[in-house]
Amino acid sequence: MKKLATLLLLVLASGSVLAADARPADVATVDGIMAALYDTISGPAGKVRDWDRLRSLFREDGRMVVHSAGKDGVIHTRVLSLEDYITRVTPVFAKEGFYESELARKGEEFGQIAQVFSTYEARHAPADAPFVRGINSIQLVNDGKRWWISQLLWQPEGEKTPLPERYLKAR
């Protein structure tokens, strides 16, 4: 029982450390957290991303969900913890540049929750043509002190799912 209590205290303390490590400008507003999200995952090949900064944006139980057509044409959904995502993309980012930017945004806020549809495009280098576009659906919560990303769900544009015009217009 004592070991369980110690483990629980460590888990609770680690959540506090994450909150303390967040840059205030990153989490004070929805605009700030969105800018930080895109900034943390973008960079040239071989650049080690600031994963601690990314972690500071997400709730401890936050998740990332990919919903897309596989090579077989069938829609697949993959639910990832933040650590799963970091493990999955680190070797890719070591070899390839990845620059994701926001093209347009539609969002709603009510009380301490927000829903953002963020249209994105990704390039291997800033001057390259985009190799993918899609929509990031991001759910955020505010605990009275700051914004947290609760979930990021994305779907790339596809032959059967072209981006609608309404999601290509600026806010």
Side-chain angles (χ1 to χ4, degrees):
M1 189 64 155
K2 189 174 182 180
K3 288 181 183 179
L4 181 61
T6 303
L7 180 61
L8 181 60
L9 285 173
L10 287 172
V11 169
L12 292 173
S14 69
S16 299
V17 169
L18 286 177
D21 288 345
R23 297 177 186 179
D26 284 354
V27 297
T29 64
V30 171
D31 284 342
I33 205 165
M34 293 297 298
L37 174 65
Y38 283 110
D39 188 46
T40 58
I41 61 173
S42 296
K47 177 188 175 218
V48 177
R49 304 310 197 263
D50 187 347
W51 295 128
D52 286 338
R53 184 179 180 203
L54 182 67
R55 287 180 186 104
S56 78
L57 305 177
F58 280 77
R59 285 178 39 94
E60 187 176 320
D61 59 353
R63 59 188 180 171
M64 299 179 106
V65 182
V66 186
H67 188 73
S68 63
K71 293 177 183 175
D72 56 4
V74 175
I75 298 290
H76 299 277
T77 302
R78 177 181 283 173
V79 179
L80 306 165
S81 70
L82 194 53
E83 296 309 313
D84 292 336
Y85 172 80
I86 291 168
T87 299
R88 181 179 180 210
V89 299
T90 295
V92 176
F93 291 172
K95 295 182 212 166
E96 298 177 11
F98 183 81
Y99 293 85
E100 188 169 284
S101 58
E102 185 174 57
L103 297 175
R105 182 187 315 166
K106 303 284 185 204
E108 296 287 335
E109 290 183 37
F110 172 75
Q112 288 71 44
I113 64 172
Q115 164 62 48
V116 174
F117 260 36
S118 176
T119 306
Y120 69 86
E121 66 181 13
R123 304 165 188 267
H124 291 296
D128 288 355
F131 66 88
V132 67
R133 300 186 322 169
I135 302 234
N136 287 320
S137 172
I138 302 159
Q139 293 77 47
L140 304 108
V141 295
N142 190 307
D143 62 7
K145 297 176 187 168
R146 55 156 293 176
W147 285 100
W148 295 91
I149 298 172
S150 181
Q151 177 171 283
L152 189 161
L153 164 69
W154 74 94
Q155 180 170 348
E157 181 177 40
E159 188 177 301
K160 295 180 181 178
T161 53
L163 288 172
E165 263 314 300
R166 72 182 182 275
Y167 293 120
L168 293 169
K169 295 177 185 168
R171 307 183 246 179

